[in-house]
Amino acid sequence: MRFSATAAQALLFPALVMMTMSSHMQAQTPQASADTIHGRDHIRLPLPPEAEKTPVVDDYFGTKITDDYRWLEDAKSPETREWLDQEIAYTDRYLKQAKVRPEIADKLDSLIHVTSWSTPIQRGDSYFFMKRLSDEEQPSIYMRHGWTPPAHPKAKETNADLGRDVRLIDPAKLSRDPNTSVSLLNVTEDGTMMVYGIRQGGADEEEIHFLTIASRKTLDDTLPAARYNSVEISPDKSGVYYARFTPHKGSLLYFHKFNTRNSEDVLLFGREFRGEPLGEMDQIGARVTDDGRYLVVIVSRGVPAKRVDIVYRDLHQPESPFNILVWGIDSRFSAMYASGDWYVRTDYQAPNGKILKAMPGGVAPEAWTTIVPEGSDVIDGSSIVGNKLFVHRLKDVKSESTVYTLAGKAIGELPYAGIGDASGMSGNSKDRYGFYSFQSLIQPPTIYRYDTQTGKQEVFAQPKTPFDTSEYELKQVFYKSKDGTHVPMFIAGRKGLKIDGSERLLMTGYGGFNSSETPAWSPLWAAWMEQGGWFALPNLRGGGEYGENWHKQAMFEKKQNVFDDFFAAGEYLIANKYTSPMHFALSGRSNGGLLMGASITQRPDLFGAIWCGFPLLDMLRYQKFLIGRLWTSEYGSAENEKGFDYIRKYSPYQNVKPGTPYPAIMFFTGDSDTRVDPLHARKMAALMQNLQQPGQPDSGAKARPILLHYSLKSGHSAGVSAAQLIDDYADQLSFLWTETGSK
């Protein structure tokens, strides 16, 4: 057993431990009392479970680094599981004392248990989409034939399903586990077959199934649970093209012929192309053009991709070799195909993006025709629907969309209601209608159908969320980072909130992987604002908000810029009296969990409470686990000397300092995270909790709670039940709200 028996017993039998150890406790200083850890709102905890130190020393280019908790990297060992049981009990003990939790859970329940929809896929007169009814735990897959019910009652006699939402796949009938979910992956162009996935909990892997729409029968053919980059039924419906990623090996594109064994699947693309090896860092995906003519293969080099290659095969000649659209250029390319022509969105010689009409056959992009030139605002997405080109831009992180002819003439814009986040236009290149959604931090999402011929738009779906947008305000400010860079930030909250430093404020951030953090709706943030706190979202470097240059300013040895941008946002909010350090809460997950770790170790004075979810924290070893190797294209690696030099400086796990008064912290992860290994949170929690043990410089009456919330269901991906989500969110917000109170 690798944790302190005394600490473990104190969790389960505190009275017994106090009686049997009373003489020993009296001989100790007050730090060692069972009531050492002081949460706000009168929450009291004993000492946390003490994990045994078992030092392992690594030599990095002559520098010795000691890791005391390497044994916690093994999630399945009896010692780790026993320690986790104690951690779960310890966190539960805290949450049972959080008086505000029932109130927050009720708010979350009302915001999450509403009927909700996904953007539909239109096939002819039929629409396929996900929908979860307000009293359900998981979305189901539905089909609707016809836009609305017919006006004349007799018109429905010929088709009982006309205009009605028909449930095709119900996850509740697949498993008794409410954390089993389904996903709508694709529908054939004629609307006769559908591809769907089944996922367990929040894992990345899913099992692939195929449904015949007319009979409502699922084929016997399945693809086993794995990470699939793409799955598409062939135009003749004889089989399926699928690209599967295997950790430490890479991606391969296969064709599976229906009614044959999976072992007979044919490898179509992977391992090498024209003498160039393809490895783990090369993510392969595929799709079929809307007209069914071409199989398009996309090879993304790294995560995020620094280079994207595109090749295609004429399916009218299935044995023909793959032709090159673009290959070997260190830029990103995204292909669109319409009316026999290729169009490409790229950042090649255009960091903010541009749209070109491409010439296949390996012709250099310099010879292609410019359709939409680069502008001052970054192009965030593009699509061709109804033979019109829709270009989505971020103007200071606010959505704008312009409609063009395929020759590049601007012919209109999509009307958005103020500051918010719009999706790109989705639809078929030859169909009349497309679909998009619009939302904001204070406005739940609405899905619209857009008529590409008239410009008319109608509401497809709008959840009846009990959140009164008119009672809240959303604004954008700009502040200066440490090096003088101007950084935008969204601030939202209930109208009339005080700006005198006394209010609670919750800030989140990400800053990485070219991912733009737009002001999108979240019931989590909405519940915090309903509770009475400010919410802030700074747009840190490392994201894609201002194009590739913005991204590159926080990669590799420049990663510290992300943290400096985040701390400067905190300083701005405090200086302008939105909050104060005591009332300042942080929340971040994944790469944002790394940001939380840096906030813990670099600026513990600035914040009162931190929720650190699914985090990367031991950056010297992250690349060794699960799919971590893919992210070396963003962070670099300590396996080379240059990478070690800059990563060691910010890696949270190696920068915890005894004697530092840290804020209250909740680490959140669980067994279902198959993307970021939970070992990061386990090791960091053990390390920081050790500082609160008797005799440590950071122990004492003022020590704040440090918790490990370890879920057996929740993971990195979507898929947990609404009830599980409400529980997890309630734990998160009740902790942050409690620990940013005045006492």
Side-chain angles (χ1 to χ4, degrees):
M1 187 163 61
R2 297 197 183 214
F3 58 90
S4 165
T6 300
Q9 291 167 355
L11 290 174
L12 302 176
F13 312 107
L16 176 62
V17 171
M18 287 300 293
M19 287 189 294
T20 57
M21 298 186 63
S22 59
S23 60
H24 174 70
M25 298 298 288
Q26 291 170 2
Q28 296 291 317
T29 59
Q31 294 105 310
S33 75
D35 201 28
T36 295
I37 308 301
H38 288 238
R40 300 273 165 83
D41 199 19
H42 308 293
I43 289 179
R44 297 293 180 265
L45 292 173
L47 296 172
E50 183 180 2
E52 179 184 331
K53 289 184 177 181
T54 307
V56 175
V57 179
D58 296 311
D59 190 321
Y60 291 89
F61 312 99
T63 300
K64 300 234 177 356
I65 302 291
T66 300
D67 184 352
D68 287 329
Y69 302 102
R70 183 71 55 85
W71 61 274
L72 282 171
E73 292 181 354
D74 184 356
K76 296 180 180 180
S77 75
E79 294 87 356
T80 297
R81 301 317 298 186
E82 195 168 2
W83 178 79
L84 283 173
D85 287 344
Q86 301 305 315
E87 290 291 339
I88 292 169
Y90 189 69
T91 298
D92 284 348
R93 183 165 183 162
Y94 176 96
L95 292 169
K96 287 176 181 177
Q97 298 179 67
K99 301 181 185 68
V100 75
R101 192 185 185 283
E103 179 183 345
I104 289 176
D106 286 345
K107 284 185 170 67
L108 287 163
D109 188 274
S110 68
L111 292 169
I112 290 175
H113 271 131
V114 297
T115 301
S116 55
W117 297 258
S118 70
T119 302
I121 298 172
Q122 183 176 357
R123 294 292 185 257
D125 293 329
S126 297
Y127 304 86
F128 299 83
F129 50 91
M130 305 288 297
K131 184 168 87 169
R132 179 173 59 79
L133 302 179
S134 60
D135 61 346
E136 293 179 332
E137 293 304 305
Q138 292 285 359
S140 294
I141 301 175
Y142 283 81
M143 177 186 70
R144 180 193 302 172
H145 185 68
W147 175 243
T148 57
H152 197 285
K154 289 188 177 181
K156 208 166 186 179
E157 293 178 4
T158 58
N159 187 348
D161 291 341
L162 195 63
R164 185 170 65 90
D165 291 354
V166 178
R167 196 189 309 247
L168 298 178
I169 303 294
D170 182 354
K173 294 183 178 180
L174 302 177
S175 171
R176 293 182 179 180
D177 183 353
N179 290 296
T180 297
S181 63
V182 297
S183 56
L184 171 60
L185 299 179
N186 216 324
V187 182
T188 57
E189 288 298 322
D190 62 4
T192 61
M193 289 186 70
M194 181 183 80
V195 186
Y196 67 96
I198 301 177
R199 187 190 307 272
Q200 304 300 327
D204 284 358
E205 296 79 6
E206 57 185 338
E207 189 176 83
I208 306 300
H209 296 261
F210 309 92
L211 180 76
T212 301
I213 302 300
S215 66
R216 307 289 199 269
K217 291 184 178 179
T218 298
L219 303 186
D220 291 335
D221 298 75
T222 62
L223 299 179
R227 285 183 171 88
Y228 292 94
N229 294 339
S230 60
V231 184
E232 291 222 359
I233 296 174
S234 63
D236 63 3
K237 297 185 284 294
S238 65
V240 58
Y241 303 104
Y242 66 91
R244 182 177 63 206
F245 171 77
T246 303
H248 312 303
K249 293 183 179 179
S251 302
L252 297 173
L253 173 64
Y254 290 93
F255 178 73
H256 170 76
K257 185 176 178 61
F258 290 139
N259 299 315
T260 65
R261 295 179 180 179
N262 290 7
S263 60
E264 299 174 7
D265 294 352
V266 178
L267 177 66
L268 298 182
F269 193 92
R271 297 190 179 130
E272 66 87 26
F273 182 72
R274 295 193 175 184
E276 182 177 349
L278 298 172
E280 182 181 12
M281 299 295 292
D282 305 312
Q283 296 293 297
I284 298 172
R287 64 181 180 83
V288 176
T289 55
D290 293 345
D291 61 0
R293 179 65 184 271
Y294 297 108
L295 175 66
V296 184
V297 178
I298 304 98
V299 184
S300 301
R301 313 296 186 119
V303 180
K306 295 186 292 184
R307 163 187 161 188
V308 176
D309 299 314
I310 303 172
V311 300
Y312 62 95
R313 169 177 282 174
D314 189 341
L315 293 178
H316 291 180
Q317 304 175 44
E319 302 302 322
S320 63
F322 284 96
N323 297 306
I324 290 176
L325 185 64
V326 60
W327 190 274
I329 298 175
D330 285 333
S331 294
R332 300 176 179 90
F333 296 85
S334 176
M336 300 168 282
Y337 181 79
S339 302
D341 292 315
W342 295 95
Y343 299 84
V344 170
R345 172 169 55 92
T346 181
D347 60 5
Y348 176 65
Q349 298 181 350
N352 286 345
K354 60 185 176 182
I355 310 291
L356 305 173
K357 186 175 182 178
M359 298 172 62
V363 178
E366 286 84 354
W368 298 353
T369 302
T370 299
I371 302 299
V372 179
E374 182 185 25
S376 57
D377 300 320
V378 62
I379 295 178
D380 192 48
S382 61
S383 59
I384 296 175
V385 181
N387 281 317
K388 291 184 172 62
L389 174 63
F390 293 82
V391 177
H392 184 264
R393 294 183 177 87
L394 294 180
K395 185 176 182 62
D396 287 330
V397 206
K398 301 181 290 291
S399 291
E400 291 187 353
S401 293
T402 306
V403 188
Y404 296 86
T405 66
L406 293 183
K409 180 183 177 181
I411 55 175
E413 294 185 352
L414 297 184
Y416 299 140
I419 296 176
D421 170 64
S423 70
M425 186 69 68
S426 66
N428 194 300
S429 63
K430 58 183 181 293
D431 282 350
R432 176 172 177 172
Y433 297 101
F435 294 85
Y436 75 93
S437 65
F438 183 80
Q439 59 190 305
S440 81
L441 286 169
I442 59 172
Q443 180 178 334
T446 298
I447 301 172
Y448 297 91
R449 184 177 78 158
Y450 179 85
D451 189 330
T452 63
Q453 294 182 11
T454 66
K456 178 184 177 181
Q457 57 183 24
E458 303 171 85
V459 172
F460 171 77
Q462 187 175 37
K464 296 179 180 179
T465 306
F467 185 89
D468 188 350
T469 298
S470 66
E471 294 183 1
Y472 296 82
E473 60 178 321
L474 170 61
K475 55 187 171 182
Q476 186 182 47
V477 299
F478 290 80
Y479 64 91
K480 284 187 179 181
S481 189
K482 181 179 180 179
D483 63 0
T485 299
H486 286 261
V487 181
M489 176 165 56
F490 295 102
I491 303 174
R494 191 183 295 273
K495 292 176 181 177
L497 269 182
K498 291 179 288 186
I499 307 180
D500 62 358
S502 65
E503 302 285 14
R504 291 175 173 88
L505 182 143
L506 172 58
M507 182 169 71
T508 190
Y510 193 77
F513 293 90
N514 199 36
S515 177
S516 300
E517 291 293 286
T518 54
W521 168 262
S522 166
L524 179 64
W525 312 142
W528 176 270
M529 288 186 280
E530 279 195 335
Q531 193 66 21
W534 288 105
F535 176 77
L537 173 64
N539 297 104
L540 316 172
R541 280 175 285 182
E545 292 87 344
Y546 290 101
E548 181 57 17
N549 287 339
W550 193 252
H551 174 218
K552 286 181 177 178
Q553 288 181 48
M555 295 175 67
F556 303 121
E557 72 276 5
K558 298 179 181 178
K559 185 66 178 176
Q560 185 61 39
N561 283 336
V562 178
F563 312 140
D564 290 341
D565 289 356
F566 196 60
F567 304 151
E571 290 166 345
Y572 172 94
L573 293 165
I574 292 170
N576 286 274
K577 298 190 180 302
Y578 283 96
T579 192
S580 58
M582 175 186 292
H583 304 304
F584 207 146
L586 296 184
S587 175
R589 51 181 287 157
S590 192
N591 175 69
L594 169 59
L595 177 61
M596 298 301 104
S599 300
I600 292 167
T601 55
Q602 295 188 27
R603 290 302 306 271
D605 60 304
L606 205 56
F607 312 108
I610 298 176
W611 184 88
C612 183
F614 306 107
L616 285 155
L617 296 168
D618 184 353
M619 295 303 290
L620 296 184
R621 289 175 58 77
Y622 80 93
Q623 72 281 356
K624 297 178 181 293
F625 304 96
L626 298 180
I627 62 172
R629 181 73 57 182
L630 299 180
W631 310 323
T632 57
S633 59
E634 176 83 5
Y635 301 125
S637 170
E639 291 172 359
N640 64 74
E641 190 168 2
K642 180 181 178 182
F644 168 72
D645 286 342
Y646 65 76
I647 290 174
R648 182 195 178 194
K649 293 176 183 177
Y650 73 75
S651 178
Y653 185 63
Q654 283 77 30
N655 282 282
V656 174
K657 296 179 176 62
T660 302
Y662 287 109
I665 303 165
M666 176 182 281
F667 297 103
F668 184 97
T669 190
D671 287 341
S672 289
D673 190 350
T674 58
R675 192 179 310 177
V676 174
D677 199 304
L679 70 87
H680 292 272
R682 293 196 297 264
K683 290 169 60 176
M684 189 75 164
L687 173 62
M688 298 201 70
Q689 288 178 342
N690 178 68
L691 300 180
Q692 298 181 325
Q693 300 304 324
Q696 295 295 325
D698 196 36
S699 61
K702 294 184 179 180
R704 304 289 303 283
I706 296 176
L707 308 174
L708 175 59
H709 190 312
Y710 203 86
S711 171
L712 302 180
K713 294 291 185 181
S714 301
H716 221 96
S717 295
V720 298
S721 68
Q724 181 72 52
L725 199 63
I726 290 166
D727 277 347
D728 290 346
Y729 282 177
D731 291 347
Q732 176 180 350
L733 290 189
S734 60
F735 170 77
L736 292 174
W737 189 266
T738 299
E739 294 304 322
T740 50
S742 297
K743 57 182 181 178

